[in-house]
């Protein structure tokens, strides 16, 4: 019995000694897997952290760009508004003069000389003209005289025959009938001392001047600048993507609100 017991104990010890390497190998394998998964988890956390940081940087960059574009838009809008105001001051000054006794007695040559002095002060004005109450051009600053040309069917004249408020009108961009030069026009109603309609004073703002002006601004790649009328009509666009075709539109309400200018991605 003692011999049998000894053999059993010896066999058990041998089995235990054989199982120990297996347990050790299993433990080592489990440890390696844990290390591997811990490494994978760490790498994933690093990637997620980097991605989140990149997303935050992207959002911050977008916010900075929006602030920059907002500031740029405001600055350009103010500068453009000053140009419009300068033209309007000239139009109002001429309207007051034309209603005076001196203006009513003025010859066509005197009227043209006065217009030319105004235009010479404003490099962004392409030309100016005075239309009579029938819409015919009485005088113009253009070298190639267009006197007698009738513009009564254009909104730049027609709106003033329907409105007596004396407000400023800003037209859509159009090519000149004679010079084929792209401009948009600003006009005001002319009256005599008794308030009777005597025609319209028109100044054509050079589209090309505005695009050159906007071209001096460092707009980001893919960005653009648009000058809008208060009803959403584009008056000028940089960079120019298409030619604005000459067109005649039905008379529209006078434009009284400020212009808007947008700077942003195309």
């Amino acid at each position: 019995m003692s011999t049998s017991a000894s053999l059993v104990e010896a066999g058990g010890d041998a089995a235990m000694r054989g199982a120990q390497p297996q347990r050790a190998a299993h433990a080592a394998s489990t440890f390696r897997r844990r290390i591997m998964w811990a490494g994978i988890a760490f790498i994933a956390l690093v990637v997620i952290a980097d991605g989140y940081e990149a997303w935050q940087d992207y959002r911050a960059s977008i916010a900075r760009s929006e602030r920059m574009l907002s500031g740029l838009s405001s600055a350009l809008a103010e500068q453009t508004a000053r140009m419009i105001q300068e033209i309007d001051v000239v139009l109002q000054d001429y309207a007051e003069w034309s209603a005076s006794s001196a203006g009513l007695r003025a010859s066509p040559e005197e009227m043209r000389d006065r217009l030319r002095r105004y235009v010479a002060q404003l490099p962004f004005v392409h030309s100016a003209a005075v239309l009579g109450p029938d819409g015919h051009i009485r005088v113009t600053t253009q070298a190639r005289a267009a006197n007698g040309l009738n513009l009564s069917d254009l909104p730049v004249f027609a709106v003033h025959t329907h409105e007596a408020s004396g407000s400023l009108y800003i037209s859509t961009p159009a090519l000149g009938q004679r010079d084929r030069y792209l401009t948009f026009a600003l006009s005001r109603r002319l009256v005599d001392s008794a308030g009777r309609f005597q025609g319209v004073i028109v100044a054509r703002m050079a589209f090309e001047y505005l695009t050159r002006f906007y071209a001096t601004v460092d707009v980001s790649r893919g960005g653009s600048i648009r000058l809008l009328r208060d009803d959403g009509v584009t008056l000028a666009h940089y960079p120019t993507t298409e030619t604005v075709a000459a067109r005649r539109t039905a008379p529209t309400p006078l434009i009284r609100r400020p212009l808007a200018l947008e700077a942003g991605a195309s």
Side-chain angles (χ1 to χ4, degrees):
M1 293 291 294
S2 61
T3 301
S4 297
S6 298
L7 290 173
V8 172
E9 291 178 359
D13 292 340
M16 292 179 61
R17 286 194 298 271
Q20 286 177 353
Q22 292 179 359
R23 286 196 297 270
H26 178 72
S29 176
T30 301
F31 180 73
R32 285 195 298 271
R33 284 197 301 271
R34 289 176 178 174
I35 292 296
M36 180 185 69
W37 284 113
I40 292 174
F42 177 75
I43 293 172
L45 286 174
V46 170
V47 171
I48 291 172
D50 287 346
Y52 180 75
E53 184 176 354
W55 171 247
Q56 290 293 90
D57 290 343
Y58 171 76
R59 293 183 61 184
S61 177
I62 292 296
R64 286 194 299 271
S65 296
E66 289 177 348
R67 288 194 297 271
M68 180 190 72
L69 289 174
S70 177
L72 174 63
S73 178
S74 297
L76 289 176
E78 289 177 5
Q79 179 61 35
T80 305
R82 280 196 290 271
M83 294 181 191
I84 299 295
Q85 289 168 1
E86 288 181 42
I87 296 174
D88 193 28
V89 166
V90 165
L91 298 182
Q92 291 184 70
D93 185 69
Y94 185 91
E96 291 176 3
W97 174 78
S98 69
S100 67
S101 57
L104 293 172
R105 294 194 309 268
S107 66
E109 290 74 19
E110 291 173 322
M111 296 167 63
R112 184 180 297 106
D113 288 343
R114 193 174 189 89
L115 282 181
R116 284 176 174 166
R117 288 198 299 272
Y118 284 142
V119 171
Q121 300 170 13
L122 306 173
F124 37 85
V125 172
H126 172 261
S127 61
V130 174
L131 312 183
D134 58 356
H136 284 90
I137 296 179
R138 296 183 62 189
V139 295
T140 176
T141 61
Q142 291 182 267
R144 296 172 59 185
N147 291 358
L149 185 66
N150 192 289
L151 303 180
S152 60
D153 60 337
L154 297 182
V156 73
F157 175 85
V159 293
H160 296 290
T161 65
H162 303 292
E163 293 272 354
S165 62
S167 297
L168 176 69
Y169 174 77
I170 301 175
S171 76
T172 57
L175 295 172
Q177 293 186 6
R178 291 283 182 92
D179 59 18
R180 312 305 295 170
Y181 193 86
L182 184 62
T183 63
F184 61 87
L186 294 83
S187 63
R188 275 191 174 275
R189 178 185 175 94
L190 298 177
V191 297
D192 61 17
S193 56
R196 293 183 293 266
F197 180 64
Q198 294 297 304
V200 172
I201 170 73
V202 182
R204 297 170 64 195
M205 189 163 189
F207 188 93
E208 181 181 349
Y209 181 93
L210 287 175
T211 55
R212 287 201 307 267
F213 170 61
Y214 297 148
T216 63
V217 179
D218 184 16
V219 180
S220 59
R221 185 176 181 180
S224 65
I225 300 174
R226 290 192 305 156
L227 176 64
L228 306 176
R229 204 167 66 171
D230 67 348
D231 58 357
V233 172
T234 298
L235 299 176
H237 185 280
Y238 177 81
T240 303
T241 56
E242 60 182 8
T243 300
V244 180
R247 55 184 178 269
R248 297 185 179 187
T249 57
T252 55
L254 298 189
I255 304 303
R256 300 184 180 92
R257 296 187 296 278
L259 300 177
L261 192 140
E262 292 182 351
S266 296

